[in-house]
Amino acid sequence: RRFYRNKMRSFSRTLVALSLAAACTAFSPSFGVGKSSFRPAVAEQHATTSSNVGRTSSTQLSMSATVDLKGKVAFVAGVADSTGYGWAIAKALADAGATIIVGTWPPVLKIFQMGLKRGNFDEDATLSDGSKMEIAKVYPLDAVFDEPDDVPAEIKDNKRYAGLDGYTISEVAKAVEADYGKIDILVHSLANGPEVTKPLLDTSRKGYLAASSASAYSAVSLLQKFGPIMNEGGSMLSLTYVASEKVIPGYGGGMSSAKAQLESDTRVLAFEAGRKWGTRVNTISAGPLKSRAASAIGKEPGQKTFIEYAIDYSQANAPLAQDLYSDDVGNAGLFLCSDMARSVTGVTLYVDNGLNCMGMALDSNSMEGTLTGKV
């Protein structure tokens, strides 16, 4: 019995030694991964109002110091100005060294290109080292069309598409392959619901399917066409919204359904693309931002827009009562697209100051005189 106890003690010591050795080898890089630094840019205080949320933060969280994307190519679909999350993600990737190419909706392509040429976006393109983000190439992209034969005559003859061709998803993928060979990162930052201001009960079949086509299936099609030209270990990222799972009055026209589809497809595509190409697929559920596109929802003279209501509601009820900036989502996107997230796929990551976890509105009239979390 004494011999048996001695053997067990010796075995236990061996296990402890092996465990410590493993902790000092296989897991030791974790001490250096994910380090970040705050870079104070301008010592100014922003008022907590919905009018300033589209701007970048005065205190930026920089992860680029520990993420090296030099030699990587990122295609960002859905960039048409510097106010949205697509631009913020592109900027964060560029700050880490990635080559940025973008796809822009044909009707606004010339306006965007002119803005780039005139330097209209230079302030929003400033990187951590003081240089400007360079967009290596802008491709016309209409993500509701997969192949050239899908484009109807009324689109081909539309003056907003005049002089343009090769803007279907398959054609853009071939053009990117011809220009760059392989890419490493694919970002889906586009959505459209022609009847977004209508309640679901008033939404037509055509409007509902249009929202699904532009906002959800477009992500599937992008990965179908770009997946074969992505390097193994590549990453696809999309953007979703909490309306996929919670009721958000004013976000109608089938858009809430489209976002639910996008999140479900993220999980399925994570499995299929992971096994087929070694590609990771994730989505960010971002809080409200006063971007150009979002500001167009429900705009009535003399009234706040839908997005302004959403921003004010978030600031009043989210666990973190602070502004949400585009670079908050940009840095989350950088993490998901980098090797730091090499084992993360099929995830919906909330970047919304925690609003998604709330089940009760603190600023509701029914909550007056009760505990609201204020200290």
Side-chain angles (χ1 to χ4, degrees), residues 131-170:
S131 65
K132 305 294 183 185
M133 173 177 69
E134 177 185 353
I135 296 179
K137 189 163 184 178
V138 181
Y139 297 83
L141 172 67
D142 195 325
V144 300
F145 304 120
D146 303 316
E147 306 285 348
D149 291 342
D150 297 336
V151 184
E154 58 265 29
I155 292 295
K156 293 178 181 178
D157 298 336
N158 191 310
K159 64 180 182 180
R160 302 171 80 187
Y161 287 74
L164 297 175
D165 57 16
Y167 47 77
T168 67
I169 293 177
S170 62

Side-chain angles (χ1 to χ4, degrees), residues 315-319 321 362-363 367 370-375:
Q315 291 174 335
N317 296 288
L362 300 181
D363 64 344
M367 292 290 289
T370 64
L371 180 64
T372 62
K374 294 181 179 179
V375 179

Side-chain angles (χ1 to χ4, degrees), residues 319-341:
L320 298 177
Q322 62 185 15
D323 287 337
L324 179 70
Y325 293 97
S326 59
D327 57 4
D328 294 322
V329 173
N331 283 313
L334 172 60
F335 163 71
L336 288 174
C337 292
S338 75
D339 287 342
M340 288 198 295

Side-chain angles (χ1 to χ4, degrees), residues 96-284:
T99 297
I100 305 298
I101 54 179
V102 304
T104 301
W105 192 43
V108 297
L109 176 65
K110 291 182 180 178
I111 297 174
F112 180 55
Q113 289 177 320
M114 186 63 69
L116 288 173
K117 186 176 181 180
R118 291 177 175 174
N120 294 352
F121 311 124
D122 282 359
E123 183 178 353
D124 294 330
T126 303
L127 302 179
S128 59
D129 63 359
S131 65
K132 305 294 183 185
M133 173 177 69
E134 177 185 353
I135 296 179
K137 189 163 184 178
V138 181
Y139 297 83
L141 172 67
D142 195 325
V144 300
F145 304 120
D146 303 316
E147 306 285 348
D149 291 342
D150 297 336
V151 184
E154 58 265 29
I155 292 295
K156 293 178 181 178
D157 298 336
N158 191 310
K159 64 180 182 180
R160 302 171 80 187
Y161 287 74
L164 297 175
D165 57 16
Y167 47 77
T168 67
I169 293 177
S170 62
E171 291 174 297
V172 175
K174 290 176 182 176
V176 170
E177 183 180 20
D179 292 337
Y180 294 92
K182 295 277 190 177
I183 69 169
D184 304 276
I185 297 167
L186 177 63
V187 180
H188 176 276
S189 176
L190 48 88
N192 183 47
E195 299 180 16
V196 66
T197 58
K198 292 183 179 181
L200 189 57
L201 280 175
D202 297 334
T203 300
S204 69
R205 180 185 294 271
K206 183 179 180 180
Y208 184 98
L209 295 177
S212 296
S213 173
S215 310
Y217 186 76
S218 57
V220 177
S221 183
L222 273 174
L223 190 53
Q224 283 179 352
K225 306 303 187 295
F226 278 85
I229 66 168
M230 293 184 71
N231 287 311
E232 186 173 358
S235 173
M236 179 185 181
L237 179 66
S238 65
L239 291 163
T240 185
Y241 184 46
V242 73
S244 63
E245 56 183 292
K246 305 287 175 62
V247 178
I248 307 293
Y251 194 73
M255 280 302 301
S256 57
S257 307
K259 291 302 185 182
Q261 293 169 47
L262 181 64
E263 292 180 20
S264 178
D265 292 343
T266 294
R267 294 184 286 272
V268 177
L269 292 174
F271 167 70
E272 295 182 356
R275 292 301 181 94
K276 190 170 186 177
W277 300 306
T279 300
R280 298 181 295 107
V281 184
N282 295 292
T283 188
I284 290 177

Side-chain angles (χ1 to χ4, degrees), residues 67-72 95-99:
V67 178
D68 185 4
L69 296 181
K70 292 182 180 67
K72 306 287 187 181
D95 208 27
T99 297

